[in-house]
Amino acid sequence: MHAPLDILFVVLYSAHAPKWSNASFHYSARREEEAKEETSSEVADKGGFMGTGMSHLYAIPAGVAFGVPILEFNWFLVNEETLLASTFLCFCVVAYTQGGDAIAKMFKDEGDAMLALQHEAEDEVIAKMEENLEYMKLTENIVQDYQDILELTQVSYDKLNAAGKIKPQHDLKAQVDKMLTLIASEEASAYDKAKTAMMAEATEAVTAKFADDKALKKAALDNAMSKLTTGKAMKGGDPVQGAFVKFFQEKTAAAKKSDDGSEQKEARANMIMKMNAVAESEGMHFRLDESGTPKMVA
């Protein structure tokens, strides 16, 4: 039955126990200022017990005086619930009075840590927003830039279209020049071949003629000796040169008599066929017809 009184005493003592860490001890006698009793007005200014201006220490005997009859006459029933509640209240009071600063410091440190994390996150957000602001400042003229690019692109397309109209003409001219160069080269090659063949034939014919005619042989020998001795040819000219001239004259006369144009047509047909093969392989815009006239192709 006396447990509530003990608990009440502990609670009151914990609430009004002296703070030994704040107490000061002196070897010398107390000064009068320290020994001076507090006046009722000073106590009243501090509030006192239940606003009476009395010291809180008077709560101990007051609690005992009121607690004994309350328990004696069963005005307050003490059971397990009340004991548990009083014990819990005692624990709360002791924890608040003795460890309140430590608990407060713990929560304050935790709050400071959370605040520091919050500040760090806010600084990162601010830095990112400042970066975005700089980027937006750099791209504030992006619409005008795109418009300028679009206009430049349109001008470039117009120039390309204009060049596209002229380019086929340049390509055709280059292809015609190349074709003419090929034709000239083929004609020069055919001329060289014909000249070589004719010279070979003339040499063979003149050699055979001199081999069969002793008079021509003797005349050629005498002409050579005259050039060696006197430095001048014999009268009547060089018989070898004359033989070659006579051969070519006879060849020309025979060619005129037998020329029906078939050989030239065959040579032209071969040339046209070769040139059309070149035009086909190189993708030229024209082909040569049978007469050698260029015709455009699709």
Side-chain angles (χ1 to χ4, degrees), residues 41-246:
S41 61
E42 292 175 349
V43 174
D45 292 338
K46 295 181 180 181
F49 174 63
M50 297 183 69
T52 60
M54 298 171 58
S55 175
H56 290 85
L57 296 176
Y58 289 105
I60 298 174
V64 174
F66 285 103
V68 170
I70 289 173
L71 297 174
E72 183 66 25
F73 293 105
N74 292 327
W75 293 344
F76 179 76
L77 296 178
V78 180
N79 52 21
E80 293 81 358
E81 289 78 2
T82 56
L83 287 175
L84 183 60
S86 61
T87 303
F88 178 72
L89 292 174
C90 177
F91 169 75
C92 292
V93 172
V94 172
Y96 178 76
T97 56
Q98 301 302 320
D101 294 339
I103 296 173
K105 185 176 183 303
M106 179 186 69
F107 284 112
K108 184 177 183 301
D109 293 341
E110 185 177 356
D112 292 341
M114 294 176 63
L115 186 61
L117 291 176
Q118 180 67 22
H119 287 170
E120 183 178 356
E122 290 176 353
D123 291 339
E124 292 180 357
V125 172
I126 292 173
K128 190 63 178 178
M129 293 181 68
E130 291 178 349
E131 183 180 352
N132 292 337
L133 179 60
E134 293 297 328
Y135 176 76
M136 293 177 68
K137 288 181 179 179
L138 292 175
T139 58
E140 60 182 355
N141 295 328
I142 190 170
V143 176
Q144 184 62 37
D145 294 339
Y146 276 119
Q147 185 65 32
D148 295 339
I149 293 173
L150 181 60
E151 294 178 358
L152 181 60
T153 303
Q154 186 62 42
V155 171
S156 301
Y157 282 153
D158 294 339
K159 291 181 178 179
L160 288 174
N161 291 332
K165 296 178 181 179
I166 302 174
K167 187 176 183 302
Q169 300 176 8
H170 287 279
D171 293 342
L172 181 60
K173 180 179 180 299
Q175 293 172 3
V176 171
D177 290 341
K178 185 173 183 179
M179 183 65 71
L180 292 176
T181 302
L182 291 174
I183 293 173
S185 177
E186 286 294 325
E187 288 179 349
S189 177
Y191 175 76
D192 290 337
K193 289 179 181 179
K195 183 175 68 173
T196 302
M198 186 173 290
M199 287 300 298
E201 183 180 359
T203 302
E204 184 179 355
V206 171
T207 302
K209 185 176 182 180
F210 272 80
D212 296 336
D213 193 343
K214 293 182 179 181
L216 287 176
K217 237 184 234 189
K218 184 178 182 304
L221 181 61
D222 291 341
N223 184 63
M225 293 298 294
S226 177
K227 285 184 178 180
L228 289 174
T229 56
T230 63
K232 295 180 181 180
M234 292 177 60
K235 293 181 179 181
D238 187 357
V240 176
Q241 182 179 1
F244 274 101
V245 171
K246 185 178 180 181

